Amino acid sequence: MNAYDLAGKRAIVTGGAGGFGVGVARALLAGGAVVELWDLSQDRLEAARAELGPDRVSARVVDITAEEQVEAAVAAFAAAGRIDALVNNAGVLGEVKPLWETSPDDFRRVLEVNLVGSYLVARAVVGRMLRQQPRPLRGHVVNMSSIQGKEGMPLAGAYAASKAALLALTKTLAKETAREKIVVTAVTPAAAETAMAKLISSERRAEIEARIPAGRFVEVDEVARLVAWLCSDDCSFSTGGVFDISGGRATY
Ligand SMILES: NC(=O)c1ccc[n+]([C@@H]2O[C@H](COP(=O)([O-])OP(=O)(O)OC[C@H]3O[C@@H](n4cnc5c(N)ncnc54)[C@H](O)[C@@H]3O)[C@@H](O)[C@H]2O)c1
């Protein structure tokens, strides 16, 4: 299979030790990019690096909700070269409960990681992208949202709300940077077989699968190939775009 041409590009993937993170990193590497994985645990990052093969892969412990850690990590990555692509992929599911039974602490935590964390990383990265020369673009930002952000989802109020807010953030940042040759997009996958899917009961899994007209979960590689295209210079005029990958579940 042909890979998108990402030769010479330098990318950051947050949540890089997780299911989509490793898959996205693999697709970016196949296109020739250099990739830095950010995640919470050194051990899991090292395991991801070993799985991907350490050539062109670096890893760093970064909690995306900690502003100083994000600033230091972006500064260190930028000191070694350009930042061509950011994949804002780190995220948490939170409690699987009806809204009235969820705890305010959990609700805040989900928003803090999925929305505020993504904002902190985008803020630090785009600030630097703006100072780079266009080649022909200054850079790409891809935000990992979810079909649940478009539709809402019973028992996942905080998660769905955080992913909807990420879509609004995507469109806002796209409008702010469109003339600066930065392309900002989001993807809205249906459920995939990652660690996140293992947090739910078998009944809930069956219920989620039944919502997908294609009758199956999305493969990590299917999402990763879409993200690789969104990080490539072939994706030049789709800024603000929300790319559906839900097996027909999305109604818009
Ligand atoms: N799996 C699905 O069904 C599905 C569907 C649609 C969207 N998504 C989204 O895809 C993204 C990746 O999820 P995944 O399915 O690979 O799950 P995952 O749990 O395998 O990966 C998520 C990663 O994010 C990391 N992370 C969490 N909080 C962090 C923080 N504060 N700082 C840095 N890293 C942090 C975790 O350690 C983990 O490695 C998430 O944003 C998720 O919401 C997942």
Side-chain angles (χ1 to χ4, degrees):
M1 187 181 299
N2 292 332
Y4 298 111
D5 183 9
L6 301 168
K9 295 205 181 288
R10 303 179 75 246
I12 296 167
V13 180
T14 71
F20 279 166
V22 171
V24 166
R26 188 178 289 114
L28 299 179
L29 289 166
V34 166
V35 179
E36 178 149 294
L37 312 172
W38 291 2
D39 212 303
L40 294 172
S41 138
Q42 185 75 48
D43 287 353
R44 291 184 53 244
L45 280 166
E46 283 312 318
R49 230 179 129 232
E51 190 183 332
L52 290 164
D55 283 358
R56 291 187 282 125
V57 183
S58 55
R60 180 182 285 267
V61 174
V62 182
D63 179 344
I64 62 162
T65 66
E67 191 182 332
E68 340 66 67
Q69 289 183 37
V70 169
E71 286 293 334
V74 173
F77 190 72
R82 292 171 63 91
I83 312 178
D84 295 292
L86 163 65
V87 184
N88 238 338
N89 165 73
V92 292
L93 180 60
E95 293 175 336
V96 180
K97 288 182 180 169
L99 202 66
W100 56 93
E101 287 179 15
T102 57
S103 76
D105 281 351
D106 190 78
F107 194 94
R108 288 195 183 95
R109 184 180 71 91
V110 173
L111 269 289
E112 188 67 22
V113 176
N114 298 0
L115 178 62
V116 180
S118 298
Y119 147 74
L120 288 173
V121 180
R123 172 181 178 271
V125 165
V126 171
R128 280 172 179 78
M129 280 181 175
L130 287 167
R131 303 202 289 269
Q132 312 181 148
Q133 289 305 312
R135 251 183 18 189
L137 299 168
R138 286 199 167 83
H140 290 83
V141 176
V142 183
N143 292 321
M144 189 64 77
S145 179
S146 162
I147 183 67
Q148 299 187 8
K150 283 180 164 184
E151 295 197 347
M153 183 70 184
L155 313 187
Y159 183 80
S162 72
K163 294 299 186 178
L166 195 52
L167 297 181
L169 204 72
T170 301
K171 291 192 174 285
T172 300
L173 187 57
K175 290 180 199 305
E176 290 172 349
T177 58
R179 297 214 174 185
E180 307 298 339
K181 301 186 189 303
I182 295 174
V183 173
V184 187
T185 55
V187 288
T188 55
E193 293 290 356
T194 63
M196 204 168 268
K198 296 183 176 60
L199 298 172
I200 56 177
S201 67
S202 52
E203 296 77 31
R204 177 127 170 118
R205 282 180 55 92
E207 200 245 322
I208 288 175
E209 197 168 295
R211 288 169 186 262
I212 303 173
R216 64 169 176 86
F217 281 15
V218 65
E219 301 286 338
V220 168
D221 287 348
E222 291 175 311
V223 174
R225 284 197 297 272
L226 174 58
V227 173
W229 180 73
L230 293 172
C231 290
S232 77
D233 289 335
D234 284 349
C235 178
S236 54
F237 205 62
S238 294
T239 200
V242 175
F243 288 77
D244 181 63
I245 178 155
S246 69
R249 180 174 161 185
T251 45
Y252 74 96

